[in-house]
């Protein structure tokens, strides 16, 4: 340390406590970075790297950003996955003895951002802590911008990581003892920053932990709260007590199924457009938008809770005019949750409080509109809308309608709110009038029309006279203050006396106004719990009116629920595909599973709509259980406890798993966790391996789900041989998506009918995809050749010498044996073998026949 200057020594001492963050070290009007921070930040931020003398033999790398524009630079560093520690000067430089005292006032991290481009108004911004003990894993998640806190326990690491992925967490807090493999998996799945917090004591946070009875969730939550208080270093009064929840209380949709069904983002673009959330989001408030996403992530299981939501949606649908007025009023309600967060954080300004006041002013009108509508639930919602009248009235008295952004330059408080402030304002205002009057009098006395009275911070008020008019000034009264190139500046005794009064009034006025604003902000803090309760009710009203608006516009109907497991969807539609197609040409379909019928085996050509049919069934179930109407003419549904999907295929390059391995892992997850109340969607299982392997796996899965699980299952396949299973599996039914040939081309009818498909139309699909004519023609020749049991023409020899999959291990050649004359029994078996017409058999029949012959031969 001794080789550096005192200021650099101070920097190094502070930096030692924040090794994982860029240290923004305040020097005058700049935040400076030194050493390694400067080298990295200059590259990321694309700013100039310089150096300075720090007392050592070599110059120290340095870069910096102006403090008034630091916000944008900080956001760029956070977006790149870094942390920033803000180190401020904590004493007046004029009064400092030696090095100015400095300390870190806040650490901004990807999970603790309060505002900026990285905060989306209709999305939560979570960070989470994860804890493990005794084979269980606890997750505690918090959104610092809104104050929401939640906690749950999971029986497996994968389930906990899936939950973190569902939250979309930006930062994960651990105790620092996790294995590198676990940390790698968290990073790979979430792309989140990993932070360490060693302290997990519960006692400082009794207010926030009282809802939690499980020791592991208390520990995870306490660790999360310690991290927040250590990094933010300020009041976080808006943090709400952690709410425990059980995954089994909601429909469980695993990470893969949410992705495959595109509930909140699309697979291809990772964006909102094209997802179910995009279709539904007709919310008018940011709070409502966030709640809608939470509801989609966690559909309900309790039928009475679902029916309550559906009742409210139905009331909104039949009350068109009141609903439209309600939507207009909701537009004027700002983000109460995040406003409350900024109040607690101390970053709220006067404009924010005016927005809060305007929002509170809408609440009585919202309550009145809800009471005008018929329905048992809406009056209850209206009564729970707390207008916080006292707060509204105080804000109305205190603040002007259009205050400035800065809270330290005055101009925020209304006249009449504080007597002393009004007196200072009067003195400042009259002083300025006196200055203007003095300027007029001096012009008359001297005859200098260009004479003017000005002001700057260094010299105060002055009388400015051009050099050409200096001879006109009277002797004795004017005292020279400053000489410039073209003019000179003077003061008079009267001006000096008045200057003191005016400047004192201005300084005291701004100082008092800031004090009044600070006190007002503290008063608002007392209302934070009430504001958060109000925000929850407004959010619920917003989401339910949104369901009504979408349901009416898209011709959705109210679903009903069956106690015996029946599922009857009449003319069901895929809501997103229908919207994208603008309802032109979308073909609706029925989906029937009566009592005792649990599985549909779906066949049909590629591009015919099998995957769309399967997805729309799942989306209809999800919409029903979040309390929305559904896209169908009629819908009777069981209440599903879980949804599993295996749709689409993609390599998991991060973990080095092939398409087929990903397919098998997702299928295993479904089979291992599904119950008789679940919904399973399997699309083309087994296509990633050889024909017989795939077909055998597909049949084995069908039989196991049918006999051992009993879940409602939609299973699409190209293995037409599997359609015979309906004869042996009583709960399975064949359906197919229809297509027709016209002038040698395939026409997809997209209609689902009973029975199995008779053709796959693979070559027609290839033709539609635009493959070269030569390829299509050759494929057609080969197809006819295969179908007619002719050896295909090949140049120069067949591609495959034999049917089947290559051996996984090296095979040793069998030793040659001397042929023996056939026994009588062998001849009989041979005769039976020759009697079969193999080309007329299905692959499954051929395998069964071969097995019987082999069994007999072994005897």
């Amino acid at each position: 340390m001794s080789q550096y200057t005192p200021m650099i020594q101070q920097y190094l001492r502070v930096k030692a406590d924040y090794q994982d963050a860029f240290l923004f070290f305040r020097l005058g009007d700049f935040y400076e970075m030194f050493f390694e921070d400067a080298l990295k930040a200059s590259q990321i931020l694309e700013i100039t790297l310089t150096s300075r003398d720090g007392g050592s033999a070599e110059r120290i790398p340095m870069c910096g950003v102006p403090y008034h524009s630091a916000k944008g630079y900080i956001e760029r560093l956070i977006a790149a996955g870094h942390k920033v520690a803000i180190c401020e000067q904590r004493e007046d430089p004029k009064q400092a003895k030696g090095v100015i005292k400095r300390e870190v006032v806040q650490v901004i991290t990807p999970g603790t951002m309060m505002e900026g481009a990285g905060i989306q108004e209709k999305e939560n911004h979570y960070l989470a802590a994860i804890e493990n003990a005794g084979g269980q894993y606890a997750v505690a998640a918090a959104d610092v911008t809104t104050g929401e806190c939640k906690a749950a326990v999971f029986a497996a690491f994968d389930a906990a990581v899936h939950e973190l992925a569902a939250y979309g967490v930006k930062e994960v807090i651990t105790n620092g003892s996790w294995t590198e493999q676990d940390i790698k998996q968290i990073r790979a799945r979430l792309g989140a920053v990993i932070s360490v917090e060693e302290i997990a004591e519960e006692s400082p946070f009794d207010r926030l932990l009282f809802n939690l009875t499980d020791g592991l969730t208390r520990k995870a939550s306490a660790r999360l709260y310690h991290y927040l208080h250590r990094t933010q270093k300020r009041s976080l009064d808006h943090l709400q007590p952690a709410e425990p929840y059980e995954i089994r209380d909601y429909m469980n949709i695993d990470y893969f199924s949410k992705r495959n069904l595109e509930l909140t983002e699309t697979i291809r673009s990772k964006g909102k457009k094209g997802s179910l959330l995009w279709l539904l989001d007709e919310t008018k408030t940011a709070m409502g938008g966030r709640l809608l996403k939470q509801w989609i992530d966690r559909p309900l299981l309790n039928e009475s809770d679902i029916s309550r939501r559906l009742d409210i949606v139905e009331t909104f649908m039949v009350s068109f005019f009141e609903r439209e007025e309600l939507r207009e009023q909701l537009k004027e309600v700002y983000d109460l949750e995040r406003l409350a967060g900024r109040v607690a954080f101390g970053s709220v300004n006067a404009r924010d409080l005016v927005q809060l006041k305007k929002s509170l002013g809408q609440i009585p009108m919202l309550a009145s509109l809800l009471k005008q509508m018929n329905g048992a639930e809406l009056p209850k919602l209206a009564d729970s809308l707390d207008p916080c009248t006292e707060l509204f009235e105080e804000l109305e008295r205190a603040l002007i309608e259009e205050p400035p952004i800065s809270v330290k330059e005055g101009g925020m408080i209304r006249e009449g709110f504080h007597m002393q402030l009004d007196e200072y304002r009067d003195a400042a205002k009259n002083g300025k009038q006196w200055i203007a009057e003095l300027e007029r009098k001096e012009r008359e006395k001297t005859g200098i029309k260009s004479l003017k009275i000005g002001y700057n911070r260094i010299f105060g008020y002055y009388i400015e006279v051009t050099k050409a008019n200096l001879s006109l000034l009277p002797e004795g009264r004017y005292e020279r203050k400053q000489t410039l190139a073209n003019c000179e500046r003077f003061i008079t005794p009267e001006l000096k006396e008045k200057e003191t009064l005016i400047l004192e009034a201005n300084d005291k006025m701004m100082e008092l106004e800031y004090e009044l604003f600070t006190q007002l902000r503290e008063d608002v803090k007392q209302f934070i719990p009430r504001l958060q309760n109000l925000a929850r009710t407004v959010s619920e009203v917003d989401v339910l009116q949104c369901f009504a608006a979408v349901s009416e516009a898209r011709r959705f109907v109210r679903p009903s629920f069956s106690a015996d497991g029946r599922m009857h969807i009449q003319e069901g539609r895929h809501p997103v595909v229908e919207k994208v197609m603008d309802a032109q040409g979308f073909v609706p379909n029925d989906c029937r599973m009566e009592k005792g019928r649990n599985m549909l085996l779906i066949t049909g050509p590629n591009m015919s709509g099998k995957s769309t049919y399967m997805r729309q069934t799942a989306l209809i179930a999800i919409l029903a259980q979040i309390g929305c109407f559904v896209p169908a003419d009629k819908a009777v549904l069981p209440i599903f406890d879980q949804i599993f999907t295996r749709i689409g295929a993609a390599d998991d390059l991060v973990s080095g798993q092939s398409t087929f391995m990903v397919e098998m892992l997702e299928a295993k997850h479904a089979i291992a966790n599904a119950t008789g109340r679940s919904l399973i969607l399997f699309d083309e299982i087994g296509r990633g391996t050889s024909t017989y392997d795939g077909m055998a796996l597909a049949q084995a899965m069908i039989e196991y789900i049918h006999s051992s699980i009993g879940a409602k299952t939609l299973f699409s396949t190209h293995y037409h041989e599997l359609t015979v299973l309906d004869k042996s599996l009583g709960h399975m039914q064949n359906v197919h998506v229809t297509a027709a040939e016209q002038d040698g081309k395939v026409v997809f009818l997209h209609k689902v009918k009973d029975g199995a498909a008779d053709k796959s139309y693979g070559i027609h699909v290839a033709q539609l995809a635009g493959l070269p004519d030569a390829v299509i023609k050759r494929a057609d020749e080969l197809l006819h050749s295969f179908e007619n049991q002719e050896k295909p023409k090949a140049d120069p020899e067949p591609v495959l010498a034999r049917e089947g999959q290559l051996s996984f291990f090296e095979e040793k050649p069998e030793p040659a044996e001397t042929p023996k004359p056939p026994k009588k029994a062998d001849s009989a078996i041979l005769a039976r073998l020759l009697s079969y017409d193999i080309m007329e058999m299905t692959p499954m029949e051929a395998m069964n026949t071969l097995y019987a012959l082999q069994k007999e031969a072994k005897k």
Side-chain angles (χ1 to χ4, degrees):
M1 278 286 204
S2 59
Q3 65 176 311
Y4 296 113
T5 62
M7 189 272 290
I8 295 297
Q9 290 182 35
Q10 183 189 48
Y11 170 87
L12 291 171
R13 282 193 295 271
V14 176
K15 177 65 181 175
D17 293 331
Y18 298 95
Q19 292 292 327
D20 62 343
F22 284 99
L23 182 61
F24 272 39
F25 194 74
R26 182 71 177 269
L27 289 177
D29 289 341
F30 278 79
Y31 287 117
E32 302 288 5
M33 287 165 277
F34 302 105
F35 299 102
E36 193 69 21
D37 277 7
L39 296 173
K40 292 179 180 178
S42 62
Q43 294 179 340
I44 298 171
L45 301 176
E46 299 177 337
I47 56 179
T48 303
L49 178 68
T50 61
S51 64
R52 70 173 289 158
D53 180 16
S56 62
E58 297 181 359
R59 292 180 67 82
I60 295 169
M62 179 182 80
C63 69
V65 299
Y67 84 94
H68 57 78
S69 60
K71 182 180 175 183
Y73 292 105
I74 292 171
E75 287 180 14
R76 286 172 63 183
L77 288 172
I78 299 300
H82 300 287
K83 304 176 184 178
V84 177
I86 309 296
C87 184
E88 294 285 4
Q89 297 175 175
R90 305 304 283 173
E91 62 180 337
D92 189 338
K94 295 177 182 178
Q95 299 175 358
K97 296 178 181 179
V99 179
I100 300 169
K101 183 181 177 182
R102 294 179 177 88
E103 64 182 35
V104 171
V105 298
Q106 184 186 6
V107 182
I108 304 174
T109 73
T112 60
M113 286 278 287
M114 282 294 291
E115 52 190 330
I119 305 295
Q120 304 299 317
E121 67 170 13
K122 287 196 172 184
E123 292 182 16
N124 283 103
H125 193 84
Y126 287 110
L127 80 160
I130 184 168
E131 203 79 27
N132 70 314
Q136 289 193 315
Y137 297 82
V139 167
D143 182 345
V144 186
T145 67
T146 65
E148 299 169 67
C149 303
K150 302 172 184 178
V153 175
F154 302 87
F157 178 66
D158 279 349
V161 174
H162 287 165
E163 188 70 0
L164 293 174
Y167 278 121
V169 296
K170 312 299 181 185
E171 186 174 3
V172 177
I173 301 157
T174 72
N175 59 10
S177 65
W178 287 69
T179 67
E180 186 58 36
Q181 184 62 31
D182 287 340
I183 295 298
K184 183 180 178 182
Q185 187 172 340
I186 292 173
R187 281 202 181 102
R189 175 63 57 82
L190 308 175
V193 172
I194 308 297
S195 299
V196 174
E197 176 57 54
E198 296 176 354
I199 303 174
E201 295 175 8
E202 298 179 11
S203 56
F205 304 109
D206 293 337
R207 176 185 74 85
L208 299 171
L209 298 174
F210 75 88
N211 285 331
L212 303 178
T213 56
D214 177 79
L216 201 57
T217 56
R218 288 179 69 89
K219 192 172 183 179
S221 301
R223 194 178 303 280
L224 175 64
Y225 294 141
H226 273 289
Y227 180 78
L228 287 174
H229 280 268
R230 178 172 65 83
T231 57
Q232 303 312 295
K233 301 180 183 295
R234 66 191 67 199
S235 164
L236 293 171
D237 293 339
H238 69 299
L239 288 182
Q240 301 169 36
E243 287 292 335
Y245 65 95
E246 296 280 351
I247 287 296
R248 62 174 176 264
D249 292 340
Y250 302 93
M251 178 198 283
N252 186 16
I253 312 173
D254 61 56
Y255 169 79
F256 304 111
S257 299
K258 287 178 180 176
R259 180 197 64 192
N260 292 335
L261 294 173
E262 300 184 311
L263 296 186
T264 58
E265 65 179 24
T266 59
I267 296 174
R268 180 167 296 181
S269 70
K270 303 294 182 185
K272 178 179 174 181
K273 186 173 183 180
S275 66
L276 181 65
L277 177 61
W278 168 72
L279 171 93
L280 289 178
D281 194 0
E282 290 291 334
T283 56
K284 295 300 180 182
T285 68
M287 304 171 290
R290 293 194 295 270
L291 184 63
L292 171 61
K293 187 173 184 295
Q294 292 174 21
W295 282 11
I296 292 174
D297 279 332
R298 291 203 175 85
L300 300 173
L301 293 181
N302 186 291
E303 186 174 349
S304 63
D305 292 340
I306 299 170
S307 296
R308 173 185 171 274
R309 289 184 186 177
L310 290 171
D311 288 343
I312 296 173
V313 172
E314 188 166 24
T315 303
F316 278 138
M317 286 186 71
V318 299
S319 307
F320 174 81
F321 294 107
E322 292 88 348
R323 188 184 80 232
E324 287 302 305
E325 180 61 26
L326 183 78
R327 286 166 63 82
E328 289 300 314
Q329 298 296 338
L330 284 169
K331 287 180 184 178
E332 303 300 319
V333 178
Y334 293 87
D335 196 338
L336 296 173
E337 286 178 318
R338 285 185 169 157
L339 283 173
R342 290 206 288 275
V343 168
F345 212 66
S347 60
V348 73
N349 60 31
R351 289 190 182 181
D352 293 330
L353 293 186
V354 169
Q355 289 181 353
L356 175 58
K357 181 199 73 173
K358 289 180 177 177
S359 301
L360 294 176
Q362 299 299 313
I363 302 305
M365 289 181 276
L366 291 177
S368 174
L369 284 167
L370 291 175
K371 288 180 178 179
Q372 289 175 32
M373 303 183 208
N374 295 321
E377 294 296 330
L378 289 182
K380 297 177 187 176
L381 278 175
D383 290 338
S384 64
L385 287 171
D386 177 6
C388 300
T389 307
E390 316 96 289
L391 176 59
F392 173 81
E393 291 175 351
E394 184 175 4
L395 293 174
E396 178 71 19
R397 288 196 314 272
L399 298 172
I400 66 172
E401 286 301 312
E402 296 183 5
I405 295 176
S406 173
V407 297
K408 292 189 175 181
E409 296 180 5
M412 302 173 289
I413 306 297
R414 283 186 188 274
E415 289 187 14
F417 180 73
H418 193 275
M419 184 182 298
Q420 185 66 58
L421 178 62
D422 289 346
E423 289 177 3
Y424 286 142
R425 279 181 174 164
D426 186 60
K429 182 179 178 182
N430 290 336
K432 289 176 182 178
Q433 289 177 347
W434 184 88
I435 292 289
E437 183 63 23
L438 178 63
E439 182 181 80
R440 185 186 64 79
K441 289 178 179 178
E442 291 297 327
R443 285 180 180 177
E444 290 179 357
K445 285 181 182 178
T446 60
I448 304 171
K449 292 183 179 179
S450 62
L451 180 148
K452 64 180 180 181
I453 297 179
Y455 170 82
N456 67 36
R457 292 187 178 183
I458 298 172
F459 294 107
Y461 285 99
Y462 55 80
I463 298 172
E464 186 174 284
V465 180
T466 59
K467 289 192 174 180
N469 293 310
L470 289 177
S471 59
L472 299 176
L473 290 178
E475 291 283 339
R477 203 162 61 87
Y478 281 73
E479 178 185 339
R480 183 176 279 102
K481 188 76 174 175
Q482 185 183 16
T483 301
L484 301 178
N486 299 318
C487 64
E488 296 208 15
R489 292 174 175 175
F490 302 87
I491 58 170
T492 66
E494 304 98 309
L495 182 58
K496 194 66 181 172
E497 180 184 351
K498 207 67 176 179
E499 176 188 73
T500 303
L501 293 173
I502 295 170
L503 294 182
E504 281 184 0
N506 275 323
D507 291 343
K508 289 179 179 178
M509 177 177 68
M510 284 191 283
E511 185 179 332
L512 178 57
E513 196 161 348
Y514 181 67
E515 288 177 8
L516 292 172
F517 177 78
T518 304
Q519 182 57 53
L520 183 64
R521 190 168 59 195
E522 289 300 312
D523 292 344
V524 177
K525 275 187 183 181
Q526 310 308 312
F527 287 85
I528 285 177
R530 290 172 64 181
L531 291 172
Q532 289 172 332
N533 288 333
L534 173 61
R536 279 191 284 271
T537 306
V538 172
S539 302
E540 184 179 3
V541 169
D542 193 14
V543 176
L544 293 170
Q545 70 77 22
C546 148
F547 286 170
V550 172
S551 298
E552 185 173 67
R554 313 299 311 173
R555 298 180 296 106
F556 291 3
V557 299
R558 177 169 181 160
S560 59
F561 298 97
S562 60
D564 57 3
R566 284 182 305 116
M567 183 164 72
H568 178 196
I569 300 172
Q570 182 178 322
E571 298 288 275
R573 313 184 299 277
H574 190 299
V576 180
V577 175
E578 182 185 41
K579 180 177 179 179
V580 171
M581 295 176 66
D582 199 22
Q584 298 298 316
F586 187 88
V587 179
N589 277 297
D590 293 351
C591 183
R592 284 177 173 271
M593 291 194 203
E594 304 296 347
K595 184 178 179 182
R597 181 61 51 82
N598 294 330
M599 182 177 290
L600 297 181
L601 186 68
I602 310 166
T603 50
N606 283 320
M607 292 178 60
S608 61
K610 297 192 299 297
S611 296
T612 299
Y613 177 70
M614 296 169 74
R615 282 189 173 100
Q616 79 185 37
T617 304
L619 292 181
I620 287 171
I622 291 168
L623 283 169
Q625 288 182 227
I626 65 174
C628 184
F629 284 21
V630 300
D633 287 355
K634 181 181 179 183
V636 179
L637 303 162
I639 292 180
F640 293 109
D641 64 350
Q642 301 174 91
I643 291 181
F644 300 96
T645 68
R646 171 56 257 180
I647 300 175
D651 288 1
D652 187 349
L653 299 178
V654 173
S655 56
Q657 293 170 346
S658 69
T659 299
F660 183 67
M661 177 57 84
V662 171
E663 183 177 280
M664 291 299 102
L665 287 172
E666 293 185 16
K668 184 265 304 187
H669 179 67
I671 290 173
N673 293 284
T675 71
R677 296 176 54 216
S678 301
L679 174 63
I680 299 176
L681 311 179
F682 277 175
D683 187 19
E684 308 291 354
I685 285 287
R687 62 183 168 185
T689 185
S690 72
T691 302
Y692 290 141
D693 272 1
M695 189 160 54
L697 282 166
Q699 179 171 342
M701 288 184 192
I702 289 171
E703 291 172 349
Y704 185 84
I705 294 169
H706 179 276
S707 304
S708 301
I709 300 176
K712 290 281 187 289
T713 306
L714 276 65
F715 198 111
S716 76
T717 185
H718 277 302
Y719 299 131
H720 291 261
E721 296 79 6
L722 299 179
T723 56
V724 300
L725 292 174
D726 66 338
K727 295 180 175 60
S728 58
L729 302 180
H731 302 311
M732 191 192 93
Q733 178 183 357
N734 283 312
V735 297
H736 69 282
V737 187
T738 54
E741 283 188 69
Q742 185 176 7
D743 300 328
K745 297 183 183 290
V746 68
V747 178
F748 298 117
L749 303 179
H750 302 296
K751 199 69 180 173
V752 177
K753 293 186 177 179
D754 292 344
D758 55 357
K759 283 185 76 174
S760 65
Y761 299 99
I763 294 176
H764 294 85
V765 173
Q767 189 174 16
L768 286 174
L771 262 65
D773 291 341
V775 174
I776 300 298
K777 183 177 179 182
R778 176 61 174 155
D780 203 39
E781 290 174 3
L782 291 168
L783 176 64
H784 284 90
S785 178
F786 294 146
E787 289 175 343
N788 294 328
Q789 198 182 351
E790 294 176 0
K791 185 177 180 180
K793 297 176 183 178
D795 299 321
E797 60 182 52
V799 176
L800 292 177
R802 60 184 176 133
E803 180 68 38
Q805 187 176 16
L806 294 176
S807 173
F808 193 65
F809 302 100
E810 183 179 355
E811 295 180 358
K812 294 181 180 179
E814 295 289 336
E817 291 186 3
T818 305
K820 298 177 181 179
K823 296 178 181 178
K824 186 175 182 181
D826 293 344
S827 300
I829 293 171
L830 185 61
R832 283 179 57 195
L833 179 62
L834 292 173
S835 71
Y836 292 118
D837 188 350
I838 302 253
M839 296 310 295
E840 290 300 313
M841 289 182 172
T842 67
M844 190 58 63
E845 290 170 340
M847 289 175 71
N848 291 334
T849 301
L850 183 61
Y851 175 79
L853 289 170
Q854 187 186 59
K855 187 175 181 182
E856 188 172 337
K858 283 180 178 178
K859 294 179 181 178

